[in-house]
Amino acid sequence: MTRSEIEEKIVDIVNNQKTLPPDAVQPDTPLADLGIDSLDALNIIFEVEEAFGVTVSDETARTMRTPNDIVSAIEELLPT
């Protein structure tokens, strides 16, 4: 899976969590700026884990502040 495919899926998950306009989520937009609180972030992580078949550690989850951070973390977790 390419980085752009991962990014597209992450953006869709974030958009669906808060019902945001498609262009609202940019790779470097802080999740907090999108109105995503800790509960929303937890739900996003659950959806990401399910969508990609990975498990995100608590330590990794705490580093996810932007969609780009999520994409990078998923890239590292996916088998090569």
Side-chain angles (χ1 to χ4, degrees):
M1 181 171 270
T2 67
R3 183 173 179 85
S4 63
E5 291 171 329
I6 296 169
E7 185 176 303
E8 184 178 322
K9 195 173 262 192
I10 297 296
V11 167
D12 286 344
I13 289 169
V14 173
N15 277 339
N16 290 335
Q17 183 63 38
K18 290 303 271 188
T19 317
L20 299 165
D23 62 341
V25 180
Q26 298 299 314
D28 292 321
T29 303
L31 297 175
D33 288 358
L34 298 170
I36 294 173
D37 60 23
S38 58
L39 182 57
D40 294 328
L42 188 59
N43 288 330
I44 289 169
I45 291 169
F46 289 149
E47 283 189 55
V48 165
E49 288 178 325
E50 187 174 316
F52 292 97
V54 298
T55 300
V56 177
S57 71
D58 291 343
E59 183 178 317
T60 300
R62 284 191 281 278
T63 67
M64 297 177 174
R65 306 222 184 279
T66 66
N68 197 38
D69 294 340
I70 299 171
V71 171
S72 296
I74 296 306
E75 275 187 316
E76 290 181 23
L77 293 171
L78 288 176
T80 54

